[in-house]
Amino acid sequence: MARTDAESLAGFLTGLSPETRRFSTFDGHDLAAARELCSAIARYDKLRLVLEEEASGGIVGLLEFSLSLPQNDVARYRKAGIHLDEGTDCRFGPTLADEHQGKGLATQVFPLICEVARRLGKRRIILWGGVLADNPRAIRYYEKNGFRTVGSFTGPDGQRSLDMILDIIPR
Ligand SMILES: CC(C)(COP(=O)(O)OP(=O)(O)OC[C@H]1O[C@@H](n2cnc3c(N)ncnc32)[C@H](O)[C@@H]1OP(=O)(O)O)[C@@H](O)C(=O)NCCC(=O)NCCS
């Protein structure tokens, strides 16, 4: 994502349906939120990849990595017998525009996601914030791309989410 992407990114965020917004939990969905995401480039521990549609040039997906691991994630995974390590583990969260969901697009680009993670020196990917238990398409997406469920937790809003992890196959 480049700093000049804010308007295009705002178009993507404002177009998201209420359901997709609930599943993906961005801080906001307007130009200010898009500017905030763009100004975060190279400032924090996040790496955000955008998917652009060739014909329109519009952003149709945002694929986010976080290279830091919050302590509560580390503690939850430890309970499941998995010892997370910031050197080799990262968090991932994808969001596609509604009209592009369920067509295999995020699966098509998944090898690239793994390649980016590998280049960052990562060996495993966990879900950023887990996946809501009532989001069957995302759960199926992760499962078919090799993630396994390691546990579940209830968020501050009372909603149940699953923790999932993927071992990246080395090249
Ligand atoms: C989750 C997301 C990134 C997946 O990308 P995608 O390109 O839509 O995923 P794919 O089309 O490759 O795979 C979806 C799978 O779920 C299946 N599916 C779709 N709706 C389903 C449902 N209601 N119940 C069960 N499976 C469902 C599809 O059939 C497909 O599986 P198949 O290939 O075995 O048939 C995308 O749908 C999205 O952005 N959703 C909204 C935001 C979101 O939920 N982000 C994840 C937050 S954790």
Side-chain angles (χ1 to χ4, degrees):
M1 194 160 79
R3 288 183 197 280
T4 49
D5 279 338
E7 284 192 7
S8 182
L9 189 60
F12 168 74
L13 292 172
T14 53
L16 297 176
S17 68
E19 187 182 56
T20 295
R21 291 178 184 204
R22 186 170 78 82
F23 289 152
S24 54
T25 65
F26 291 114
D27 288 340
H29 303 89
D30 55 8
L31 186 57
R35 286 203 175 115
E36 189 52 43
L37 287 172
C38 289
S39 75
I41 293 172
R43 261 174 52 209
Y44 301 118
D45 59 297
K46 310 293 187 298
L47 176 64
R48 297 186 166 95
L49 309 176
V50 290
L51 270 179
E52 273 184 7
E53 189 176 46
E54 215 167 32
S56 65
I59 292 176
V60 299
L62 189 53
L63 308 165
E64 304 189 283
F65 283 102
S66 165
L67 307 178
S68 71
L69 299 173
Q71 273 316 304
N72 54 352
D73 282 28
V74 173
R76 272 199 325 272
Y77 277 80
R78 191 181 298 127
K79 273 193 201 153
I82 295 172
H83 294 267
L84 296 178
D85 176 344
E86 256 183 26
T88 50
D89 298 321
C90 62
R91 298 185 292 161
F92 170 63
T95 304
L96 299 184
D98 286 73
E99 59 275 26
H100 291 274
Q101 295 172 15
K103 297 177 180 168
L105 179 59
T107 295
Q108 200 185 329
V109 299
F110 197 69
L112 295 173
I113 294 300
C114 291
E115 186 54 31
V116 169
R118 265 189 222 103
R119 287 187 190 191
L120 294 167
K122 307 301 177 185
R123 292 192 212 121
R124 295 187 298 196
I125 301 176
I126 66 167
L127 301 186
W128 188 341
V131 56
L132 285 170
D134 67 352
N135 187 357
R137 180 169 44 216
I139 293 170
R140 169 75 192 127
Y141 165 69
Y142 294 125
E143 281 174 346
K144 79 171 178 174
N145 286 291
F147 284 80
R148 65 190 159 90
T149 302
V150 301
S152 69
F153 65 97
T154 303
D157 52 4
Q159 299 196 85
R160 200 169 77 88
S161 293
L162 308 182
D163 279 320
M164 300 180 85
I165 192 165
L166 171 79
D167 291 298
I168 304 169
I169 300 160
R171 283 230 179 269

